[in-house]
Amino acid sequence: QVQLVESGGGLVQPGGSLRLSCAASGINFVIYTMAWYRQAPGKQRELVASITSGHRKNYADSVKGRFTISRDNGQNTAYLQMNSLKPEDTAVYYCNAWVVGHDYWGQGTQVAVSS
């Protein structure tokens, strides 16, 4: 059974930081591209950042220079370090694991940025 379990969300003030984690089980983690998506109320889900099996990274323009995606293949875990958070970063953040023919999602973790 495949599971992606996100953690690390919460309420933070503007300018603050959070680190999201995505613990994966039931997949051969090392071959998957891992990604973080987010969905704000009333908006479509959007890609925030991704990291391939070869550690190639990609970021949405809105988070470049503020967010860092990483992965620990030994721990089957992906991370999203979020710095300099803004109110517009408020959303439910979802972890995604993808390889050709397989696409898995976590249940999401809420991030709220507010003073």
Side-chain angles (χ1 to χ4, degrees):
Q1 181 181 358
V2 177
Q3 280 193 313
L4 300 178
V5 180
E6 301 103 331
S7 60
L11 174 64
V12 64
Q13 291 186 340
S17 297
L18 285 173
R19 187 194 196 203
L20 305 183
S21 299
C22 172
S25 59
I27 60 172
N28 185 7
F29 184 81
V30 298
I31 70 171
Y32 278 74
T33 290
M34 299 301 297
W36 290 94
Y37 288 74
R38 68 186 181 187
Q39 187 167 20
K43 295 189 177 181
Q44 290 189 332
R45 190 173 297 189
E46 63 174 356
L47 176 65
V48 176
S50 63
I51 182 168
T52 68
S53 57
H55 293 257
R56 182 175 297 176
K57 302 176 184 181
N58 181 57
Y59 296 95
D61 287 343
S62 59
V63 307
K64 282 180 181 176
R66 300 189 298 122
F67 290 11
T68 302
I69 191 170
S70 61
R71 64 191 296 160
D72 183 338
N73 290 338
Q75 297 294 322
N76 287 1
T77 301
Y79 303 97
L80 185 68
Q81 178 67 44
M82 305 186 294
N83 299 328
S84 302
L85 282 160
K86 304 175 181 180
E88 52 263 44
D89 295 317
T90 295
V92 178
Y93 284 70
Y94 296 91
C95 177
N96 173 262
W98 179 88
V99 72
V100 174
H102 301 276
D103 190 15
Y104 303 109
W105 293 88
Q107 81 287 351
T109 185
Q110 177 71 53
V111 171
V113 184
S114 175
S115 55

